[in-house]
Amino acid sequence: MPYTTLISAADLARHVQDASWVVLDCRHDLTNQDAGRTAYAAGHIPGAQFAHLDTDMSDKSPGQNGEFRGRHPLPERNAFLETLRRWGVNHGSQVIAYDAQGGMFAARLWWMLRWAGHEAVAVLDGGLQAWQALGLPLASTPVARPRGNVEPHYPLTTTVNVDDVLANLRNPVRTVVDARAPDRFRGENETLDPVGGHIPGAKNRFFKDNLQGDGHFKPADQLRQEFTALITAPEASIMQCGSGATACHNLLAMEIAGLRGSALYPGSWSEWCADPARPVAKGD
C-alpha cells in the first residue's frame, strides 16, 4: 500500500535507497528565498532533491489580464507535471516531501501532487528533525535522477478562485478557514502582505495547531474532533492562508483525520487584499 498522508522517519529510512521512491526537500524561509537551497546544500536526506516553493511550486507571472494572483500562485498543471518529470517522478513512484518547519512547505507539495492526480505522496512526520533524532545520515552531494514519465490524472483535490470566495460572502454556504497565526488573522503584526486582517466570516485554525509539541502531527481522532468543531462538513469548507501554502497543512491534517473534500483557495489572503474593493475584517 502506498503512503498517502504521513510517513515516519524509520519507515523512510527502510526505503530511502529504493529507486522507485522520490524524496524532495522543501525547506524554505518566506523572508529569505535562498535559505532552503543553502540548507539543502549543507545537508539533506540521502537521495533527496530540492523543491523550491517560489519556483517549483509557484508561478508568479501575472494573470491573463495582468492581475496579481497572490504571492505563491499555482503553476499550470502541465508545467508542474514537467517539474515532476524533471525530478524523476513516474506513474508508480512513491513521493516523500519533507522540510524542517513542521510540514509547513512539504504539505504544499503533498497537495500539489494530489492536484496532479498522484496519490502516492506523503509528508515526513516530524520533518528533518525526526530523521536526525534517529541518528540517520545526511548527504551534501546534489542528486540527479533519470527523467520521469508521470502523466496527468484526475485531480484528487478541489480549488476555488477569488470570485467563488466573493460569491460565498453573498451566500455563505461554505466555511472559510484561515491557517495563519492568530495575530495575523486579527490584522496585527502583518509583515508579509500590505493589508492586515482576514476575509469576513472566516474562522482561524493556525496550521501549527495540527502538531504536537515534538513537531509530529496529532493523532487522527484528535484532529477529527478539532476540525469538526470548526466546520459542518469538509466539502462545505474552503481552506486558505497567506499565499496558499500553509492552508495545505490544514488540508493534510484533515486528510489524516478522514475529512476529505475541502477546497483550497490558492490565492488566499495575499490575492484577496490586493484589491481594495474586497472587504476586510479585523479582530477575532
Side-chain angles (χ1 to χ4, degrees):
M1 292 290 291
Y3 292 86
T4 58
T5 53
L6 299 174
I7 186 170
S8 70
D11 284 350
L12 177 57
R14 285 191 282 270
H15 292 280
V16 75
Q17 300 298 330
D18 191 325
S20 67
W21 284 49
V22 177
V23 182
L24 296 165
D25 185 320
C26 305
R27 284 177 285 177
H28 187 70
D29 183 333
L30 291 172
T31 62
N32 178 2
Q33 65 175 5
D34 296 323
R37 196 178 298 280
T38 300
Y40 172 84
H44 51 263
I45 292 176
Q49 299 169 86
F50 183 65
H52 201 298
L53 175 66
D54 288 341
T55 55
D56 296 318
M57 293 184 256
S58 307
D59 177 1
K60 297 194 173 189
S61 58
Q64 287 184 346
N65 298 315
E67 70 272 17
F68 179 68
R69 300 186 298 139
R71 285 185 282 109
H72 294 110
L74 291 174
E76 291 293 328
R77 228 166 140 252
N78 286 337
F80 179 60
L81 283 159
E82 185 57 29
T83 298
L84 295 179
R85 296 180 193 115
R86 172 168 55 82
W87 286 331
V89 178
N90 297 312
H91 172 68
S93 294
Q94 172 69 64
V95 181
I96 305 298
Y98 75 89
D99 58 34
Q101 290 82 22
M104 179 177 183
F105 305 110
R108 161 77 171 223
L109 187 57
W110 168 85
W111 183 91
M112 289 182 69
L113 271 114
R114 292 176 56 78
W115 174 60
H118 193 88
E119 186 177 21
V121 55
V123 168
L124 175 59
D125 196 15
L128 187 63
Q129 296 92 330
W131 179 269
Q132 292 180 292
L134 295 181
L136 295 165
L138 298 181
S140 57
T141 52
V143 176
R145 294 176 60 101
R147 178 180 167 82
N149 59 15
V150 67
E151 292 295 330
H153 293 278
Y154 191 79
L156 303 172
T157 61
T158 58
T159 61
V160 296
N161 60 31
V162 68
D163 291 332
D164 297 323
V165 181
L166 280 166
N168 191 68
L169 275 185
R170 295 188 291 269
N171 180 26
V173 295
R174 291 179 169 184
T175 303
V176 177
V177 179
D178 189 323
R180 292 176 299 159
D183 58 340
R184 290 186 64 209
F185 177 81
R186 293 191 298 266
E188 304 164 2
N189 306 317
E190 182 58 67
T191 59
L192 295 171
D193 293 307
V195 178
H198 59 266
I199 296 170
K203 296 183 178 182
N204 188 210
R205 167 69 180 190
F206 188 23
F207 78 93
K208 289 186 179 180
D209 289 342
N210 300 323
L211 303 175
Q212 303 176 99
D214 62 0
H216 291 76
F217 275 79
K218 291 175 178 176
D221 287 347
Q222 184 176 355
L223 290 170
R224 187 178 305 113
Q225 290 174 6
E226 292 176 4
F227 274 96
T228 52
L230 264 184
I231 61 173
T232 55
E235 62 273 13
S237 64
I238 296 169
M239 298 294 134
Q240 53 96 185
C241 55
S243 67
T246 58
C248 297
H249 200 280
N250 279 349
L251 287 162
L252 173 57
M254 292 175 71
E255 187 75 17
I256 294 165
L259 301 171
R260 302 178 179 92
S262 182
L264 173 69
Y265 170 31
S268 285
W269 179 250
S270 57
E271 178 187 36
W272 182 270
C273 73
D275 185 345
R278 297 179 192 129
V280 170
K282 295 195 176 185
D284 293 322

